Amino acid sequence: MPAMDPARRRLRLSDAHISVLGLLVEEGELPDELSRAHAELRAAEIIDEDGKISAELYPLVSTLMEPHVIARVETTGPQGVTNHGAVVGNDFVFTHEGWPGEEESEYAPVQPEMLVFALSRMVDLHQDNADADDVGEEIVSTMGVLDAVLDRMESEGPDGAEAIAEAAHAPARLAEVLAQLNCMWRMTVAWPGGADAPDGLGVSALAVWDCGLEGYWVRESPAEPVREGQVKASSELKVRRVTAKELWERITDLLPDQDQLLVDPAS
């Protein structure tokens, strides 16, 4: 169910609730499939009996209606895929964080200078204990072999990495690292990129394995952003071990320059 916490300016909303709010702002007709979401918003007093949106929602709705920068974070772990992200508008920045198995995400405002902190927390970026000798280690294989190792680990468990590597014709090191896998995550940032950018958008992205005792690994090939149909079983897989500090810097570099984060409507 949707919910609002005015004291902390937080809201719990699903994609359907967001769609309803957008249509109400645009005075569009609500399709039948959104009637339940509409009723839930009324029950939560997020919209009133006349269909008007609570004043507390205008910062969020205005940001979602005219975004200047959109960050998407997809984490894949034992409980499936969970989506998070951030939206930068004219005057506000909002983050949204999902919960495994829940339809609603929690939306909350953040200051622009805190955006890297917020994105890093979404992926649980934390200090690791990688030795200097470990950093920079590379593993090269193919995407088909990666899928084979993951499938075997899902059905047989992560124990016996050596046997799994042999059965999947994979590098032994690949299986050792994946045996410690906590989650994989991808972070994608998009913003208006001008006439020279594909589809008129600037896009930067990063794909990472969080492997617990085996540390963090950046997937360098296939390089993000990956388009649909671009990756095949024969595509090269190359991952490189990095530190949490490097990941912090990489997340920072994903974002456009600070002066692009908030756009003056009068400009």
Side-chain angles (χ1 to χ4, degrees):
M1 287 290 291
M4 182 166 54
D5 177 11
R8 295 183 61 190
R9 297 184 295 164
R10 297 183 303 169
L11 298 111
R12 279 177 54 88
L13 299 167
S14 69
D15 289 345
H17 299 138
I18 294 294
S19 296
V20 169
L21 295 173
L23 287 170
L24 289 176
V25 170
E26 294 179 337
E27 299 182 350
E29 183 176 349
L30 290 175
D32 292 340
E33 58 265 27
L34 292 178
S35 59
R36 176 182 172 185
H38 182 259
E40 290 174 344
L41 289 169
R42 288 179 60 179
E45 299 183 351
I46 292 175
I47 58 176
D48 62 21
E49 294 294 327
D50 296 326
K52 299 209 172 165
I53 299 173
S54 171
E56 283 87 353
L57 263 76
Y58 278 103
L60 172 61
V61 173
S62 65
T63 300
L64 294 176
M65 296 292 286
E66 295 186 13
H68 294 293
V69 179
I70 297 175
R72 300 185 186 277
V73 180
E74 179 185 273
T75 60
T76 303
Q79 294 176 290
V81 178
T82 308
N83 294 299
H84 320 284
V87 183
V88 180
N90 279 331
D91 302 298
F92 304 98
V93 179
F94 277 86
T95 62
H96 58 93
E97 295 190 53
W99 189 269
E102 297 286 338
E103 291 185 2
E104 289 85 13
S105 295
E106 180 178 293
Y107 288 79
V110 297
Q111 294 300 308
E113 58 270 20
M114 298 297 291
L115 184 52
V116 174
F117 288 90
L119 293 171
S120 298
R121 187 172 61 82
M122 290 175 195
V123 297
D124 188 31
L125 184 64
H126 55 275
Q127 186 61 47
D128 58 356
N129 297 316
D131 294 330
D133 293 341
D134 297 330
V135 176
E137 178 186 1
E138 290 185 350
I139 302 173
V140 179
S141 185
T142 67
M143 293 300 292
V145 169
L146 170 64
D147 290 339
V149 171
L150 290 173
D151 287 345
R152 285 186 172 272
M153 286 189 171
E154 184 176 355
S155 61
E156 302 173 15
D159 296 332
E162 184 176 345
I164 289 175
E166 184 177 351
H169 305 289
R173 189 70 180 119
L174 178 63
E176 290 173 358
V177 168
L178 290 175
Q180 301 295 325
L181 181 68
N182 289 329
C183 70
M184 296 180 176
W185 54 265
R186 294 192 302 171
M187 190 177 295
T188 306
V189 179
W191 65 93
D196 295 334
D199 303 323
L201 289 176
V203 180
S204 58
L206 179 65
V208 174
W209 299 354
D210 177 351
C211 295
L213 295 175
E214 290 286 359
Y216 289 111
W217 298 74
V218 169
R219 196 189 74 215
E220 297 188 335
S221 181
E224 291 287 341
V226 173
R227 295 183 177 272
E228 185 176 355
Q230 181 179 343
V231 177
K232 303 176 181 178
S234 59
S235 298
E236 181 189 56
L237 167 72
K238 182 166 73 172
V239 293
R240 178 174 61 87
R241 188 166 184 178
V242 298
T243 62
K245 179 181 178 182
E246 180 176 339
L247 283 182
W248 173 273
E249 294 168 350
R250 295 281 293 267
I251 291 172
T252 302
D253 290 342
L254 289 181
L255 297 169
D257 294 337
Q258 182 71 23
D259 59 1
Q260 294 177 266
L261 288 180
L262 289 183
V263 178
D264 184 354
S267 62

